[in-house]
Every structure is written in C-alpha cells, then in structure tokens.
Amino acid sequence: MRSKKFIIPTLLSLAGTTALVYLKKRQQAHENAIKAALLPTIKTVFNNQEINGYWIDFENQRGLEYEGGVKVTDRTSGVQEAYTFLFNPTTKEIYHIKPVTTV
C-alpha cells in the first residue's frame, strides 16, 4: 500500500524534469541559431579586419535584439579595437556600433 502514494509525486517529478529538459534544449537551439546568423553578419560588417572574438548577451527577455561585442584587428595597421553593437536576428542586421577601446 505504501508504494501507491509515491506514484503521483514520482509522475509529477518525471513530468517536471521532462519539461525542464525540453525547454533547455529549445533555448540552446535558439541560441545556436542566433550565433549561426551572427558570425556571417560580423564578417560582413568588419570585412577588412581579423576577428579575434565576439560575445552576445542572451539575457534579453523580449528576444527582439541582442547586445553583443567584437574584438578585431585591422589587417593593414595592426591596431586592435573592440566594439559593442545591437544585433537583430530576424533581419540579421548589426547596428548601433560603438567603439570601446583601442589597444
């Protein structure tokens, strides 16, 4: 008799765990799609520069645009620069590009 009262909590725990794993996988797939769209856009905007690294903030709750940054080296002068920007994944556009530092 005792085992019957543990069936419902076990099933609820299993359902909650399944839902959590599904949501995490869905979020990861969404982030990977944004990263896949971001890199070609960065290469287009900073075409004469070598990309040393980039970042993007996925903590945007509305999901319309994401804040990001990139560190590049100019191939002709060798100057390293860092920029911040906003990225819109639906239009695949980078805008509000602002320089941060020049190293």
Side-chain angles (χ1 to χ4, degrees), residues 33-54:
I34 291 171
K35 287 178 188 176
L38 176 63
L39 191 56
T41 307
I42 288 175
K43 287 180 180 179
T44 302
V45 172
F46 298 98
N47 59 0
N48 193 25
Q49 299 174 349
E50 181 181 337
I51 299 170
N52 296 333
Y54 67 94

